[in-house]
Amino acid sequence: MFLLFFGFSLGKILEHECLHSFEVELPKDHSGMPSVLKRIEDLVPLLVNSFHDSALSIQAMPVIDGQSFDCILYTLQNINMAVKVVVDEINRPHMSHEFSSILPSNGNKLMPNTMLMYLKKLGDSFPVGKIYHSAEKEGERFFILNLGITEIFLHLITWIDDPNLFEKLLHFIETLLLKQGSRNLSATKTILEKQLVSIISLFPRIVAVSGGWRLRLLEAFTTAFRNCKVESTHCLAYLAAIEEMLKDDSAFKSCDPDMLSYQIVWLQELPNLLLKLGDRHPPLSKIHLLMGYHFQVILKLLLQIGQCSPQNSPLASEYNCLQWRLKEFYGTQVIAGPVNYGPFIKLPTDCQELSICCLYYFSSLNPDLLQSITFCCLCNHLEPSVLLRIIEVLESAFRAAHLPISDYIGFLVTLIARFKVYPGKFSSEENDTKVSKSGIFKSLNSAICSCLSQLGDNSMVLKLLYKHISREMSLKPSLLNMRGLFRVIVMLDRRLKQLAEEEVIDLSNSLAYYVLDASSASSCLTDTIALAEDSNKIAILKYYIQPCIFLLYGSDKLLNHVVKLFDSLVLDIDCSPVSQCDDNHVLKHATMVLEVACILNFMHHDVELHRGLSSSRETIKHILLKISKLLGSGNFSMPVEERHKVKTAFDQLRAVACKLHCLESGDVGV
């Protein structure tokens, strides 16, 4: 009855515990603590005597019955609660005056003498029975009791002045850690796990005062950490202990090679834990969602190490070496196969934020890891806000000289060129699901243009960037991706001042084929182009080729090369053998002629292009002559409908070209 009353009293004080039972949280209102603490001081001797007598009793039993074990365990738990309350009150920055007045002072050590005297008696009982008993269940029960005693004295570690007791405790803790992974828990699994978590969480306090046992304990701790199950509460406790041992700045600046070697082992284990967690459970399962907290703890620790490791220190070097393992955390690809996405894609947003922040602290971001991050950026399942956040962090990494400019701009160009705006063919419907990501792509394009515009001289940036753009254009991305690339060029330097002649020619080829594809995609009929300026199809065409038109405004040289390419695409019937003019060839080339005529007609209606087009007068004249010959050739017999479209396009183009270039109709065919 006495024990029940005491447990109820302490239960009122300790209203709840923190997550995973790492720490007991005391109430903020300490007004009634002096009277409670005085009662605890009076009750602890009674509890210790009760435990001592019960321990002697159960040691004499052939078999410990469940009721006796529960009673002695409950007594031990109440002693632990009492000691925890007193120690927390003593360690509180503003300890109550009433309580401090009843405590004897011994330097910085304050503890009621009566409690210490009786707790020493508890230490004399340690260890209870045998840690390893012939009967497995019996041994496990004694083990649990000794764990409870150990936890009590770990709270009191500052006040332990008995070398023999100290040795026994440290030896027990070492044995506990080394044997933890092999212990087979049964009916008392919940009790034992909770006590193990408490011991592990107090480990930093143990190491700080362990003296000659320090390296032995660190080795045992590290072994147990590497062998524990990643989804267990034990793993969380180990991570919390590691974080506690690294909180002090001196931990990162330590010249102690032994401590550093263990810090490196702990750090190297973190990517392994991330990958193990990612493979444990199917997406969206309840257990998978619970694992989000484990990811958060690991990533916070990883971020803390990255933030606090001094530049060029051994720990910073090891942090950089993690990049190779973290590739699998983001995504990998074998040659040209599908991308194997790691856990990152499916993590909650707060965990993704932590992992993204970790990237900044790599002193030199590895190209392979950057490629893995790029895979994630191009994944359909990545939230737009996370994508933009990655760009923001990598921009900061670049400005801190953690990312070479060639890798940085290559990453940005790749995003524009390969971001999946829609699956399949273009649709002009605003609400079509195939274009539902166009708004995201627009935001992405704007963000990347903003990043590039801040790199310095824009024309020099384009010069540096162009090889990346050219490579991506050669892969024939979608029209919207191509438009995004042209938009980047316009933003940087539409006059192309720093591009070499061969680069301008290369760009003209990409531009010419792009505008022809845009014309085809918008199904622009030449017999309506001059009359239906507000039609949906014309609006689509204008949207696509707008960046290209701006480039043509800025560079007459580019415009001339584009017109020359158009000329080369129109079949010269005088040079083409009759055998090549089969039905498929005729239909295919008729479509090409129609698109060339459509685009040239469109360009001639833009007043700002007139000056540049005037310098291509002879080339345009040659195009018109070739189209005229095709229409009049018996070897190039087009279907009636196609012939009508080409004839209409030719007539419209001839009319505007003759007017602009002062040509006679007879000079360009009939």
Side-chain angles (χ1 to χ4, degrees):
M1 194 70 182
F2 157 72
L3 291 176
L4 290 174
F5 173 76
F6 180 73
F8 175 77
S9 299
L10 286 182
K12 293 294 289 182
I13 299 170
L14 309 174
E15 292 180 350
H16 61 283
E17 296 184 352
C18 289
L19 187 61
H20 300 293
S21 304
F22 287 168
E23 291 289 339
V24 175
E25 185 176 320
L26 295 176
K28 295 180 180 180
D29 183 8
H30 292 260
S31 59
M33 286 302 291
S35 61
V36 172
L37 293 167
K38 184 64 176 70
R39 289 170 62 195
I40 289 175
E41 186 182 1
D42 295 337
L43 288 170
V44 165
L46 300 176
L47 287 168
V48 172
N49 284 335
S50 173
F51 175 82
H52 187 265
D53 294 342
S54 299
L56 293 175
S57 175
I58 64 171
Q59 285 174 315
M61 292 180 182
V63 178
I64 307 175
D65 63 90
Q67 186 176 3
S68 298
F69 173 74
D70 290 342
C71 181
I72 192 170
L73 179 62
Y74 187 64
T75 305
L76 202 58
Q77 289 172 344
N78 278 295
I79 296 173
N80 184 43
M81 290 169 68
V83 169
K84 184 70 167 65
V85 171
V86 173
V87 170
D88 284 348
E89 180 65 15
I90 290 172
N91 291 332
R92 194 162 60 87
H94 303 291
M95 182 173 54
S96 61
H97 173 72
E98 294 87 345
F99 182 56
S100 62
S101 64
I102 67 171
L103 297 176
S105 177
N106 181 18
N108 290 327
K109 296 183 178 182
L110 295 170
M111 178 61 69
N113 282 333
T114 306
M115 281 186 62
L116 282 176
M117 181 179 67
Y118 277 90
L119 289 170
K120 185 179 183 301
K121 186 177 181 180
L122 180 65
D124 293 338
S125 303
F126 179 77
V128 178
K130 296 180 180 179
I131 297 179
Y132 307 106
H133 199 271
S134 56
E136 184 177 343
K137 188 172 182 179
E138 293 286 292
E140 189 172 287
R141 283 177 167 174
F142 279 122
F143 187 78
I144 288 172
L145 295 177
N146 286 314
L147 268 177
I149 296 172
T150 302
E151 184 180 354
I152 291 168
F153 281 106
L154 289 181
H155 293 309
L156 296 167
I157 202 160
T158 306
W159 292 274
I160 296 177
D161 54 7
D162 182 348
N164 182 51
L165 174 59
F166 198 60
E167 284 279 317
K168 289 192 294 181
L169 287 169
L170 297 181
H171 182 268
F172 178 82
I173 292 167
E174 180 189 33
T175 304
L176 160 69
L177 293 171
L178 291 175
K179 300 294 182 181
Q180 179 197 335
S182 61
R183 184 162 288 277
N184 182 26
L185 306 180
S186 56
T188 52
K189 178 179 178 180
T190 303
I191 299 171
L192 188 52
E193 281 196 342
K194 187 173 181 179
Q195 287 186 306
L196 285 170
V197 166
S198 298
I199 298 294
I200 296 166
S201 65
L202 292 167
F203 188 79
R205 204 179 297 180
I206 303 168
V207 170
V209 295
S210 57
W213 280 81
R214 181 167 170 265
L215 293 183
R216 289 176 60 176
L217 291 175
L218 285 169
E219 181 64 28
F221 174 89
T222 302
T223 300
F225 170 53
R226 297 179 75 175
N227 292 333
C228 75
K229 293 181 179 179
V230 67
E231 69 270 26
S232 67
T233 53
H234 294 167
C235 185
L236 291 175
Y238 283 117
L239 292 167
I242 291 170
E243 182 181 9
E244 183 69 26
M245 286 186 280
L246 293 173
K247 267 185 179 179
D248 189 353
D249 285 345
S250 62
F252 294 97
K253 301 173 183 176
S254 174
C255 297
D256 182 349
D258 294 319
M259 189 62 179
L260 177 63
S261 66
Y262 289 112
Q263 290 173 350
I264 289 173
V265 172
W266 302 337
L267 176 59
Q268 291 172 340
E269 193 64 23
L270 298 183
N272 298 334
L273 296 179
L274 292 173
L275 296 177
K276 288 177 183 177
L277 276 173
D279 294 335
R280 278 293 187 267
H281 305 287
L284 303 180
S285 69
K286 290 183 179 179
I287 298 179
H288 180 83
L289 296 175
L290 289 173
M291 290 302 100
Y293 181 75
H294 287 67
F295 275 110
Q296 187 180 68
V297 171
I298 297 167
L299 290 167
K300 276 185 177 178
L301 181 56
L302 194 61
L303 179 59
Q304 179 187 344
I305 295 172
Q307 290 172 329
C308 299
S309 300
Q311 191 174 9
N312 300 322
S313 67
L315 206 57
S317 298
E318 288 298 328
Y319 184 83
N320 278 321
C321 292
L322 298 181
Q323 296 183 69
W324 184 82
R325 286 306 312 274
L326 287 174
K327 289 190 302 179
E328 297 176 57
F329 174 70
Y330 292 98
T332 56
Q333 184 181 38
V334 179
I335 310 178
V339 175
N340 297 313
Y341 292 106
F344 172 81
I345 286 294
K346 298 174 183 176
L347 288 181
T349 305
D350 56 347
C351 293
Q352 289 178 327
E353 169 67 18
L354 288 169
S355 63
I356 293 168
C357 289
C358 289
L359 300 175
Y360 174 81
Y361 296 98
F362 293 120
S363 61
S364 179
L365 197 60
N366 188 286
D368 290 337
L369 179 58
L370 185 61
Q371 183 183 50
S372 296
I373 296 164
T374 305
F375 291 149
C376 292
C377 291
L378 299 175
C379 178
N380 288 329
H381 301 294
L382 190 69
E383 288 293 324
S385 59
V386 178
L387 169 60
L388 296 177
R389 178 61 175 151
I390 290 174
I391 294 173
E392 181 183 346
V393 170
L394 291 183
E395 181 187 19
S396 298
F398 165 72
R399 295 193 177 283
H402 298 171
L403 182 61
I405 188 169
S406 59
D407 291 347
Y408 176 55
I409 61 179
F411 163 76
L412 297 177
V413 170
T414 300
L415 291 191
I416 295 178
R418 303 186 189 183
F419 185 81
K420 296 179 181 66
V421 187
Y422 55 85
K425 295 182 179 180
F426 176 83
S427 171
S428 62
E429 297 296 326
E430 288 291 331
N431 59 353
D432 196 305
T433 56
K434 292 181 179 180
V435 293
S436 60
K437 294 182 70 176
S438 59
I440 300 171
F441 182 69
K442 184 176 180 180
S443 298
L444 171 66
N445 203 285
S446 296
I448 291 175
C449 284
S450 176
C451 292
L452 293 172
S453 67
Q454 299 176 48
L455 294 181
D457 185 325
N458 284 350
S459 60
M460 291 302 298
V461 172
L462 177 59
K463 175 70 175 176
L464 185 63
L465 195 67
Y466 185 73
K467 65 177 182 179
H468 297 283
I469 293 177
S470 177
R471 183 179 65 245
E472 293 297 335
M473 285 182 169
S474 70
L475 298 175
K476 303 297 182 184
S478 74
L479 289 176
L480 283 176
N481 294 103
M482 284 288 285
R483 183 184 185 276
L485 293 172
F486 283 117
R487 184 183 171 197
V488 168
I489 297 174
V490 171
M491 182 275 299
L492 290 174
D493 180 20
R494 71 177 188 175
R495 298 186 182 280
L496 311 177
K497 291 179 291 188
Q498 295 294 334
L499 292 190
E501 179 71 18
E502 60 270 20
E503 291 173 327
V504 175
I505 294 173
D506 177 74
L507 179 60
S508 70
N509 290 338
S510 298
L511 189 149
Y513 283 109
Y514 167 73
V515 295
L516 292 174
D517 289 341
S519 174
S520 176
S522 59
S523 302
C524 177
L525 301 179
T526 54
D527 57 351
T528 63
I529 190 167
L531 303 174
E533 292 293 335
D534 296 327
S535 73
N536 187 44
K537 293 176 181 178
I538 301 304
I540 292 170
L541 179 62
K542 285 183 176 180
Y543 174 78
Y544 275 139
I545 69 174
Q546 182 188 48
C548 302
I549 295 298
F550 285 144
L551 285 175
L552 298 177
Y553 288 164
S555 174
D556 290 345
K557 185 190 299 184
L558 179 67
L559 176 56
N560 291 336
H561 284 302
V562 169
V563 174
K564 286 179 182 178
L565 182 60
F566 286 161
D567 183 28
S568 70
L569 294 175
V570 177
L571 180 68
D572 190 341
I573 198 66
D574 293 335
C575 303
S576 177
V578 175
S579 60
Q580 289 187 8
C581 297
D582 55 67
D583 291 345
N584 289 334
H585 179 77
V586 169
L587 187 60
K588 181 179 179 181
H589 199 74
T591 302
M592 177 65 72
V593 171
L594 183 64
E595 290 169 359
V596 168
C598 173
I599 293 300
L600 284 174
N601 195 10
F602 188 93
M603 292 166 63
H604 276 78
H605 279 83
D606 191 324
V607 177
E608 290 190 52
L609 288 177
H610 285 181
R611 178 179 55 80
L613 288 170
S614 295
S615 62
S616 298
R617 178 179 183 275
E618 293 304 315
T619 306
I620 294 170
K621 177 181 176 182
H622 190 234
I623 292 172
L624 288 168
L625 281 170
K626 289 201 291 184
I627 296 175
S628 176
K629 289 180 180 180
L630 284 175
L631 289 169
S633 172
N635 293 332
F636 198 79
S637 181
M638 291 178 277
V640 175
E641 184 179 355
E642 295 302 317
R643 181 180 179 80
H644 172 71
K645 291 178 182 178
V646 174
K647 182 65 167 63
T648 303
F650 170 74
D651 289 342
Q652 290 186 352
L653 178 58
R654 182 176 59 177
V656 294
C658 287
K659 182 178 179 181
L660 175 63
H661 304 298
C662 300
L663 298 173
E664 295 294 333
S665 295
D667 295 337
V668 291
V670 180

